[in-house]
């Protein structure tokens, strides 16, 4: 295969979350798979897709994105609406509020589970509120 073609194939966006995870270094794959399972457990009805070239779960809108970087795993969008969770994530918050979980530290899976559950609750409440407004 021609070198330019190889480069184009390597750069193409992943088609599925499984494809995205498979492209990551082995030491990161298990962490991403576990995050995927945590989100799936919190939101069994959510749709899995690739958006902005990263794994995305949607449920009445964007639920969560996650992505692997050189030194951390990111979780998006910023988490708001629960003071206890906000306090717990403060040390992981990047400049725009997105979360950065360092790869050289244990992954806070319990915290990620709490975030996923909060986002499900928020998205469902948002959808419920918009349905009520439409009925009026």
């Amino acid at each position: 295969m021609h070198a330019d073609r190889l480069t184009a194939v390597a750069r193409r966006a992943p088609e599925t979350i499984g494809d995205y995870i498979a492209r990551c270094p082995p030491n990161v794959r298990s962490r991403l798979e576990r995050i995927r399972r945590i989100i799936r457990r919190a939101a069994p009805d959510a749709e899995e897709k690739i958006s902005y070239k990263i794994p995305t779960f949607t449920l009445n809108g964007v639920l969560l994105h996650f992505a692997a970087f050189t030194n951390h795993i990111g979780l998006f969008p910023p988490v708001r609406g629960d003071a206890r969770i906000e306090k717990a994530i403060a040390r992981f918050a990047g400049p725009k509020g997105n979360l950065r979980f360092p790869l050289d530290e244990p992954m806070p899976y319990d915290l990620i589970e709490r975030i996923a559950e909060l986002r499900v609750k928020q998205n469902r409440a948002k959808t419920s509120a918009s349905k009520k407004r439409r009925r009026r």
Side-chain angles (χ1 to χ4, degrees), residues 69-116:
F69 295 89
T70 304
N71 298 311
H72 70 276
I73 291 176
L75 192 67
F76 321 90
V79 179
R80 295 183 179 87
D82 182 304
R84 289 189 354 215
I85 291 177
E86 287 179 37
K87 183 177 179 181
I89 64 173
R91 74 180 210 88
F92 300 111
K96 295 182 179 178
N98 296 322
L99 303 178
R100 295 178 179 184
F101 301 113
L103 292 173
D104 62 354
E105 296 179 19
M107 195 64 45
Y109 296 114
D110 290 345
L111 180 58
I112 294 168
E113 182 175 16
R114 290 171 51 204
I115 291 166

Side-chain angles (χ1 to χ4, degrees), residues 32-89:
L32 295 175
E33 281 291 355
R34 188 157 174 195
I35 292 169
R36 181 186 193 184
R37 285 192 308 270
I38 287 168
I39 298 169
R40 171 63 48 221
R41 207 170 36 245
D45 299 331
E47 178 186 351
E48 288 190 3
K49 63 185 197 175
I50 297 293
S51 182
Y52 300 104
K53 297 184 182 180
I54 61 173
T56 302
F57 280 81
T58 60
L59 179 70
N60 306 324
V62 170
L63 187 63
L64 287 167
H65 303 279
F66 62 97
F69 295 89
T70 304
N71 298 311
H72 70 276
I73 291 176
L75 192 67
F76 321 90
V79 179
R80 295 183 179 87
D82 182 304
R84 289 189 354 215
I85 291 177
E86 287 179 37
K87 183 177 179 181
I89 64 173

Side-chain angles (χ1 to χ4, degrees), residues 22-35:
R23 294 178 185 196
C24 292
N27 65 323
V28 177
R29 284 185 207 140
S30 63
R31 293 174 184 223
L32 295 175
E33 281 291 355
R34 188 157 174 195
I35 292 169

